[in-house]
Amino acid sequence: MNALDKLTIFNGDKEEMATILFTFEDNGKKYVVFEFDETHEVSAAVYVPGETDSEGQLFDIETDAEWDLVDKVYNQYEEDLEAAEDEEDSEA
């Protein structure tokens, strides 16, 4: 895992580390799905790139339609992981 797979999220005076699970784009918006390192809670946000690859801003997902999209993509991600694990197990 490299530094670009990690996020530092600043929330007021609190700083939390998270691991990026995946990113995707839809309708011109970039989304990042991540897991907090400490709690293992999975969340997502809209990502707006900064001037460099290592900086940018996260914004809350505000609509139910966007959350439905994220849920759909996340569920497919989980299914793909399970299928890959099953394939590895059958090859072993």
Side-chain angles (χ1 to χ4, degrees):
M1 184 164 303
N2 64 46
L4 294 179
D5 295 333
K6 300 299 257 177
L7 288 173
T8 304
I9 299 173
F10 300 96
N11 188 3
D13 61 349
K14 188 176 182 184
E15 181 178 314
E16 296 181 85
M17 294 301 297
T19 301
I20 297 171
L21 300 177
F22 63 91
T23 62
F24 69 98
E25 192 169 332
D26 187 73
N27 278 339
K29 283 188 174 180
K30 295 180 182 194
Y31 296 89
V32 59
V33 179
F34 53 91
E35 179 179 46
F36 289 100
D37 292 351
E38 190 173 306
T39 63
H40 301 287
E41 176 185 347
V42 174
S43 192
V46 174
Y47 174 73
V48 177
E51 292 182 20
T52 68
D53 288 343
S54 64
E55 63 182 55
Q57 289 187 308
L58 298 178
F59 294 93
D60 290 337
I61 295 173
E62 297 180 347
T63 68
D64 288 341
E66 283 183 296
W67 276 117
D68 290 344
L69 171 67
V70 170
D71 284 341
K72 178 181 167 187
V73 174
Y74 179 74
N75 289 335
Q76 185 62 54
Y77 166 81
E78 287 283 298
E79 288 176 20
D80 291 348
L81 277 181
E82 287 178 25
E85 288 174 3
D86 289 346
E87 187 174 306
E88 287 178 10
D89 289 345
S90 66
E91 291 177 358

